[in-house]
Amino acid sequence: MLRPEAQSRPRSISLRAKLTLWMVVIFLVVQLSLGFVFELYQRRSINEFFDARLKARLDQVAEAVVPLLPAVQNVDLYSQADRNRELLFQKFFLIQVFDESGVPVASSEAPAAPLPPAVLSSLLGSSGPISVPLPLSIPKDSGAARAAAKWVPGPDGRRFVVLIAWSDMYAQEMLRLLSGVLFFSIPIGVAAVAISAYAISGIAVRPIRAMGHMARGLEPEFLGERVKLTGSGTELAELQQSLEGTRLKLEAAFGAQERFMSNVSHELKTPIAVLMTEAQTLKLDQSPKEVRAFVESTLDELYKLGRMVDSFLLLTRVRHGKATVPNQESCLVRDIMVYSYEGCAPMAAQHGCRIAIRLPEEPHMDVAVRGNCDLLRSVLDNLIRNAIRFNPKDHVVHVRGEVVDDRLLIRVRDQGPGIPTALLPRIFDRFAQSTDEQRRGRGHGLGLEIALGITELHGGTISAANCEDGGCEFTISLPIDPATDCTPPLQHAN
């Protein structure tokens, strides 16, 4: 069972979501501000409009009342109020007449209360109609909301005050309509802006996504491909030019590195071949047993070193896309696993641990893969030796083969400290080693990359993961040779 290498982190918000959110927030602030100003302006305009209509109606009512002064009666005002109420479709319409001291003279709605002194003071400084507070004598359930008054001359030289009041239902209806429009326009506007902002931010971050996609595929074998970012614009063109320059530098650096490694490998082949030839020509018939064992061990190690150099040259060609699998044949998996076990057992004994091997079980005992048997064995050798180096003393390295669907899986597991979290994503990179391993000098960080390159050359994959109960596990996945598929046929029922 595998354990996660990092604790669960809170999901970060994507740049597209952030841009969308910021645009919506900015729009909402602007819309609320403009809506507040617009509502204030419209409320003022509506009030001024109905105040103007009220004062105009006051002038008309005053013209009709002046001929009736000073003997105007309540009944006269009743008829005037009824006509205006029907004409204006008003629920309520009031007409009142006061003398200079504010004492009621007549009213369409009896009884009438005297005018407040503040209203008289306001009228004294005005020559035309003014808005005034509603008369105290108006019932609260009458629906009246606006009132206006003005001075009018009487026939005997005295002045009178004519006051009218009406219901404010039209103005209130317009104000409610205004509030409703603003209330519904905000969420509709936010939704429209959110959709637009999401689309615009998607266009804005598209080059970044393209750059991320390109960066994820920016591997040595793909460095020869020119950087191409979809879209137009000066900024995008400059970004593409900068990335292309970086790619060319990386391509040159990797090319120089590959040439160096290839040259070194070629140079190593000559002294290895010379040493092997000289060791093979030695006459050991009369030599002591220790000398013969030393020469045989030396030959064996030189042979392994020669195969490693060949593998490294092959890996270099793989990285350049020029390699093919040499000497392909059908390789029995059990033979590869047994030979690797026998070759790595002495190293395990030297490190004080042992290897437990489990071959594929029936009906997959004779399963095979297509490829180069020596190269495939070197892949498994690298993984087993790597596990031995990290396995604690007196513990077991488990090697297990199994067939899942049409794939062969070989798992190599140790019981060591596991792979550091920071190193796990790049464990198969060249020279990838933890600081402790570099300090201890255990290997050079080439084995896993060679194993990966050979496996990919055979159409397979390698993965690595830490285990929940300690240690790590490497898994080789290779396609099965169809000619050796040993899955039993389905039995037909009688």
Side-chain angles (χ1 to χ4, degrees), residues 69-86:
L69 293 176
V72 61
Q73 300 294 320
N74 290 343
V75 67
D76 300 325
L77 299 185
Y78 293 158
S79 59
Q80 286 285 339
D82 288 341
R83 285 196 299 271
N84 280 280
R85 185 166 49 249
E86 294 175 359

Side-chain angles (χ1 to χ4, degrees), residues 19-38:
L19 288 175
T20 302
L21 182 60
W22 274 111
M23 293 174 71
V24 170
V25 169
I26 292 173
F27 170 80
L28 185 59
V29 172
V30 172
Q31 189 180 37
L32 288 175
S33 301
L34 292 178
F36 177 74
V37 173
F38 178 75

